[in-house]
C-alpha cells in the first residue's frame, strides 16, 4: 500500500515569488509519481510525472519536481509564480506496473497567488 | 491521451433517491476507476471497474451503495444509491493510458452531486 503526505494545506505567495509545494510518499514497492492541478471549477489535469531516468522533471508552464528516493519526496517548485497558477495541487503515486493502476492522492495544497 | 465524457455534470437530488453517473471514453481501456472528492478534500478511490468482471471496491465502499456496471471497454456507470447529504461530492471517472501504459491517469470533468 502507498500513502502520500502533503504537509501544507494552503500556500499563499506573491506574484513573481518562488514557491515550493511539499510532497512525501510511503510505499513498499517502486512507484510512479505525479503532480496534478485542479483550477477553480475545472477537472484534474496532469502537471508532470516521474517514471524513471532523470530525477528532475519539468512541466510546460515552468513547474519542476525532483524525485528524491532517499527522502521519499517529490516536491514541486516554480521560481516565479503567476496569478494564473492559483489552483489546488495534488501529489499522487501509483504502483510501478504495466497495464494501469489506481492512484493514491495526497490531501492537496491550495496555492493562492496574490498581487 | 484519452478523452473522457461524464454525464451529468452536476445534479441536485433528494435524499433517499439514486443517481447513475455515466462515463464514456474515446478509446478502449481495460481498467476504469471511480473516485470521490468530498468538499475541501482529496480524491478517494471508490472502486476499479474491469470489463467482464465484478468491480473491486476499496475499504469503506460497498457494492450495495455504489453499484458499478462495465458493459464494454469504453463505458461504465456508477450509481449512488439511497443518497444522503453525506454523499454530496464530486464523482470522477478515470482511465490510465499514456505512451508507457499505466503511467498516466486521465480524468473526466466530474459530476458535482448535491443531496438535499
Amino acid at each position: 500500500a502507498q500513502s502520500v503526505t502533503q504537509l501544507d494545506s494552503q500556500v499563499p505567495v506573491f506574484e513573481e515569488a518562488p514557491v515550493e509545494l511539499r510532497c512525501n510518499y510511503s510505499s513498499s514497492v517502486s512507484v510512479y509519481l505525479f503532480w496534478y492541478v485542479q483550477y477553480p471549477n475545472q477537472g484534474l489535469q496532469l502537471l508532470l510525472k516521474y517514471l524513471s531516468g532523470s530525477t528532475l522533471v519539468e512541466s510546460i508552464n515552468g513547474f519542476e519536481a525532483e524525485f528524491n528516493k532517499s527522502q521519499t519526496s517529490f516536491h514541486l517548485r516554480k521560481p516565479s509564480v503567476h496569478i494564473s497558477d492559483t489552483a489546488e495541487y495534488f501529489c499522487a503515486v501509483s504502483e510501478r506496473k504495466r497495464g494501469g493502476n489506481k492512484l493514491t492522492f495526497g490531501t492537496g495544497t491550495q496555492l493562492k497567488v496574490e498581487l | 491521451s484519452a478523452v473522457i465524457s461524464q454525464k451529468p455534470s452536476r445534479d441536485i437530488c433528494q435524499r433517499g433517491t439514486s443517481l447513475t453517473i455515466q462515463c464514456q471514453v474515446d478509446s478502449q481501456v481495460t481498467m476504469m476507476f471511480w473516485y470521490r472528492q468530498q468538499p475541501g478534500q482529496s480524491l478517494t478511490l471508490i472502486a476499479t471497474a474491469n470489463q467482464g468482471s465484478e468491480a473491486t471496491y476499496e475499504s469503506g465502499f460497498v457494492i450495495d451503495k455504489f453499484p458499478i456496471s462495465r458493459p464494454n471497454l469504453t463505458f461504465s456507470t456508477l450509481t449512488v444509491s439511497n443518497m444522503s447529504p453525506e454523499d454530496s461530492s464530486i464523482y470522477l471517472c478515470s482511465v490510465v493510458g499514456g505512451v508507457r501504459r499505466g503511467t498516466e491517469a486521465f480524468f473526466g470533468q466530474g459530476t458535482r452531486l448535491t443531496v438535499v
Side-chain angles (χ1 to χ4, degrees), chain A residues 59-75:
Chain A
S59 72
I60 60 173
N61 57 352
F63 282 94
E64 64 178 31
E66 185 161 19
F67 168 55
N68 188 318
K69 187 174 182 179
S70 63
Q71 297 185 7
T72 60
S73 67
F74 192 54
H75 301 331

Side-chain angles (χ1 to χ4, degrees), chain B residues 36-58:
Chain B
R36 180 175 73 181
Q37 186 178 20
Q38 293 179 298
Q41 298 188 30
S42 187
L43 285 81
T44 302
L45 181 66
I46 298 172
T48 303
N50 295 320
Q51 194 268 335
S53 64
E54 292 280 335
T56 303
Y57 289 82
E58 298 298 304

Side-chain angles (χ1 to χ4, degrees), chain B:
Chain B
S1 65
V3 177
I4 302 173
S5 300
Q6 256 186 263
K7 291 194 297 187
S9 59
R10 58 178 63 231
D11 207 342
I12 301 174
C13 300
Q14 296 291 324
R15 67 174 66 202
T17 63
S18 298
L19 175 72
T20 295
I21 303 167
Q22 299 180 6
C23 178
Q24 179 75 52
V25 188
D26 68 343
S27 58
Q28 293 184 340
V29 292
T30 303
M31 300 168 73
M32 297 177 75
F33 304 90
W34 287 98
Y35 290 85
R36 180 175 73 181
Q37 186 178 20
Q38 293 179 298
Q41 298 188 30
S42 187
L43 285 81
T44 302
L45 181 66
I46 298 172
T48 303
N50 295 320
Q51 194 268 335
S53 64
E54 292 280 335
T56 303
Y57 289 82
E58 298 298 304
S59 175
F61 298 96
V62 295
I63 188 171
D64 290 345
K65 176 67 175 177
F66 297 101
I68 288 172
S69 77
R70 184 78 200 276
N72 56 54
L73 292 174
T74 63
F75 187 78
S76 177
T77 67
L78 170 75
T79 299
V80 186
S81 303
N82 188 25
M83 288 183 285
S84 67
E86 292 70 35
D87 295 319
S88 297
S89 294
I90 299 174
Y91 292 85
L92 298 111
C93 171
S94 174
V95 301
V96 179
V99 175
R100 291 166 62 175
R101 295 184 67 187
T103 61
E104 181 173 343
F106 301 92
F107 290 84
Q109 288 293 92
T111 297
R112 185 179 295 271
L113 170 62
T114 302
V115 184
V116 298

Side-chain angles (χ1 to χ4, degrees), chain A residues 54-106:
Chain A
S54 173
T55 57
L56 185 65
V57 291
E58 299 177 351
S59 72
I60 60 173
N61 57 352
F63 282 94
E64 64 178 31
E66 185 161 19
F67 168 55
N68 188 318
K69 187 174 182 179
S70 63
Q71 297 185 7
T72 60
S73 67
F74 192 54
H75 301 331
L76 181 69
R77 303 183 183 93
K78 189 170 185 179
S80 176
V81 295
H82 189 267
I83 195 80
S84 61
D85 293 324
T86 294
E88 185 93 20
Y89 292 80
F90 294 96
C91 183
V93 302
S94 71
E95 187 178 336
R96 182 188 286 267
K97 70 176 186 180
R98 290 179 61 83
N101 201 9
K102 60 187 179 183
L103 287 166
T104 300
F105 285 87

